[in-house]
Amino acid sequence: EAEVAQSPRYKITEKSQAVAFWCDPISGHATLYWYRQILGQGPELLVQFQDESVVDDSQLPKDRFSAERLKGVDSTLKIQPAELGDSAMYLCASSFGVAGGEDTQYFGPGTRLTVL
Amino acid sequence: QKEVEQDPGPLSVPEGAIVSLNCTYSNSAFQYFMWYRQYSRKGPELLMYTYSSGNKEDGRFTAQVDKSSKYISLFIRDSQPSDSATYLCAINSGAGSYQLTFGKGTKLSVIP
């Protein structure tokens, strides 16, 4: 069964350092999402891509976060510099991109970031 | 008021019990309602999907939507220890939007 791949699974870094997360969506999925999930909370959308284009990055803290999906396939999320409050699970999800709600999002295992 | 409210629990039940998990929402435009299950240190996986009001059953799981009350429920019959996880409700407004609004999740433990 096809899955969304993410790496690394765990990342520990010191504040002010740069970190990067990678996501490989399910083959054929045009839409890719990055979510942040703080412990005890539901996932919150950071950025949404349709193919290589950003559809929504209104919740992405652009002073320190950046995301790209250059060839419309895999994607990278970067944080520079990392802050203590960035400690969270970063989830990637993908879907075919059918508008109207009938579009199942499949999640990867996530990257758990700890900022010291 | 948050768009989606969900009691975080934790909820602990004995094996075999019927479990009821609930969410309320504020935006009457929401049309698509989902329940995700998230095991510890894993990503969420889609469990149930419902459009508009009504019930949907899948094995031991039943999803229920009451749009007049803006209330959604997930029932688990004959709960098993393997059902121990966090259950997240997620809602989509449809109308060309792909985005999901999640509840906080309810942590469920089924005790053997």
Side-chain angles (χ1 to χ4, degrees), chain B:
Chain B
Q1 182 187 12
K2 289 201 71 173
E3 284 195 298
V4 181
E5 300 277 1
Q6 183 175 10
D7 186 341
L11 182 62
S12 184
V13 301
E15 183 176 353
I18 296 175
V19 176
S20 172
L21 304 167
N22 311 293
C23 288
T24 59
Y25 62 94
S26 58
N27 189 342
S28 58
F30 287 140
Q31 298 185 62
Y32 297 87
F33 307 92
M34 285 141 274
W35 285 94
Y36 280 81
R37 179 174 60 195
Q38 186 174 24
Y39 290 113
S40 181
R41 298 186 177 85
K42 297 287 180 65
E45 57 176 331
L46 183 66
L47 197 58
M48 298 283 286
Y49 161 84
T50 311
Y51 170 67
S52 195
S53 285
N55 291 359
K56 186 173 184 178
E57 192 172 316
D58 184 2
R60 297 184 295 110
F61 298 89
T62 300
Q64 194 172 78
V65 176
D66 182 349
K67 291 191 73 178
S68 62
S69 303
K70 300 191 184 71
Y71 192 86
I72 64 173
S73 301
L74 178 70
F75 298 96
I76 308 174
R77 291 184 299 280
D78 188 24
S79 55
Q80 303 295 308
S82 58
D83 296 328
S84 298
T86 295
Y87 290 81
L88 298 149
C89 61
I91 303 178
N92 175 283
S93 65
S97 170
Y98 304 89
Q99 294 185 11
L100 297 178
T101 302
F102 282 88
K104 283 186 176 182
T106 300
K107 187 172 183 179
L108 171 68
S109 296
V110 180
I111 311 302

